[in-house]
Amino acid sequence: MSRLANIADSINNALLFLGKPDSLKWKVFETTNGKLTAPEIAKILNKEPSNVSLKLAFLASKGILIESNKRGKAIIYQKTPELFGLNLKSYLKNGKQKLQRQEVSNPAIKNEKNTTPSSSKIVNKIIEIGQKYQIENIDQNWLDSLVILNFVETLTTKFLMDHGYSEEDVKKMKWEEKNSRLHDKIQEEARKKGFPLRSSTLSIIKNYREQRNNVDHVGHLASSRINPEEVKLLSHILKVFIKEILEEHQKYCILI
């Protein structure tokens, strides 16, 4: 299973066990940051420490939180890597979570989603051919994910060529080198301008090649189906990536 599929499963699992957004479990989850003990979280939420401890243990048992440290006998929890930094409430909008559960047991809904009309006749034709030859995961979600993943590399290549690298240079680079040089360049320029820089997005997309291969090279397998939550996650990563290397970068960039 691809890392993206694991993330989507983690999101679905969290939404299933967290309950309503105003529940104590949800509030405990949102407050957990890998630094606070149960009594400290309880004080922030104005709740009984024993109730918070129970909720933390429950969320850990469901794979939503993991132990990160200990302070004396007190266990300190943090969100799992797949859930860290995500706004889970955004995945509850428009009943998407409910629809996704229905799809598991209702193939008719799944087939209906696969035949959603696209603005491109070619895309529609590809989806139609995929269904004809039982490649059921070739749908709009699969195509959208490939577009996003390929665009990440396109943006990276454009950035490097705008900062001193020739077309011949970038043609010879594999993704790992492109990502490394992009990271080095923005760090270098930020230091020269004394700009405090976070590069968390570049760390997230470091395994971009693996993600794209998991979507592209096993597209013939039913297990490689891409669900709407994965596309939404990819879209969010792309949005933050663009903000970091294009918008934020303009504050300190040094064009060659």
Side-chain angles (χ1 to χ4, degrees):
M1 183 180 292
S2 71
R3 182 174 183 273
L4 288 174
N6 286 336
I7 293 174
D9 286 344
S10 296
I11 292 171
N12 291 331
N13 182 61
L15 293 176
L16 180 63
F17 291 109
L18 285 174
K20 297 180 180 179
D22 59 351
S23 68
L24 179 57
K25 283 184 291 187
W26 201 299
K27 292 176 181 177
V28 169
F29 171 80
E30 288 187 322
T31 310
T32 301
N33 60 6
K35 299 178 181 179
L36 301 174
T37 62
E40 290 169 335
I41 293 174
K43 185 175 181 180
I44 293 172
L45 299 178
N46 194 26
K47 300 294 182 181
E48 288 293 329
S50 58
N51 288 340
V52 171
S53 294
L54 287 173
K55 296 297 185 274
L56 287 169
F58 172 82
L59 295 177
S61 72
K62 300 303 180 184
I64 299 170
L65 299 178
I66 56 175
E67 294 185 17
S68 65
N69 209 339
K70 281 189 176 182
R71 193 185 304 161
K73 294 183 178 180
I75 298 174
I76 297 176
Y77 293 90
Q78 67 181 23
K79 300 175 181 68
T80 62
E82 292 83 1
L83 298 175
F84 182 80
L86 290 182
N87 177 14
L88 285 179
K89 289 181 180 177
S90 67
Y91 291 88
L92 291 175
K93 294 179 180 178
N94 303 320
K96 288 184 179 179
Q97 176 67 12
K98 182 178 180 180
L99 175 60
Q100 191 174 0
R101 289 177 192 153
Q102 289 175 335
E103 288 175 356
V104 174
S105 58
N106 191 341
I109 296 178
K110 191 179 294 182
N111 292 335
E112 182 181 345
K113 286 180 68 65
N114 288 345
T115 56
T116 300
S118 166
S119 58
S120 167
K121 291 182 180 180
I122 294 176
V123 168
N124 284 337
K125 189 64 178 178
I126 290 173
I127 293 173
E128 180 184 331
I129 293 171
Q131 292 177 342
K132 179 179 179 180
Y133 293 100
Q134 289 79 52
I135 311 178
E136 296 179 356
N137 49 298
I138 303 299
D139 58 11
Q140 192 65 53
N141 292 326
W142 185 83
L143 293 165
D144 287 347
S145 66
L146 278 182
V147 170
I148 294 171
L149 287 166
N150 278 284
F151 191 53
V152 167
E153 184 163 11
T154 299
L155 283 173
T156 301
T157 302
K158 178 65 165 58
F159 179 95
L160 293 175
M161 291 182 66
D162 284 346
H163 290 79
Y165 294 94
S166 68
E167 185 173 351
E168 289 302 314
D169 290 334
V170 295
K171 280 183 178 179
K172 297 174 185 177
M173 295 179 192
K174 293 185 178 180
W175 166 253
E176 291 75 12
E177 184 178 1
K178 286 183 180 181
N179 180 261
S180 177
R181 289 179 182 266
L182 170 62
H183 183 276
D184 291 346
K185 178 59 68 173
I186 65 172
Q187 290 281 357
E188 172 193 335
E189 295 185 351
R191 282 196 302 270
K192 288 181 178 179
K193 289 295 184 74
F195 189 87
L197 180 66
R198 294 185 306 108
S199 57
S200 56
T201 309
L202 297 183
S203 299
I204 291 173
I205 66 166
K206 189 174 183 179
N207 68 340
Y208 150 87
R209 179 70 66 185
E210 179 185 351
Q211 292 177 356
R212 191 172 73 176
N213 288 347
N214 280 332
V215 175
D216 195 7
H217 295 169
V218 292
H220 58 290
L221 300 176
S223 59
S224 69
R225 175 180 293 280
I226 303 296
N227 64 49
E229 303 305 332
E230 293 179 76
V231 178
K232 187 172 182 178
L233 178 62
L234 279 173
S235 181
H236 176 71
I237 291 173
L238 176 61
K239 180 180 178 181
V240 178
F241 180 63
I242 290 172
K243 182 175 179 63
E244 185 166 330
I245 74 164
L246 298 180
E247 298 173 13
E248 290 293 321
H249 179 257
Q250 294 302 314
K251 298 177 181 178
Y252 60 87
C253 69
I254 306 169
L255 292 177
I256 301 300

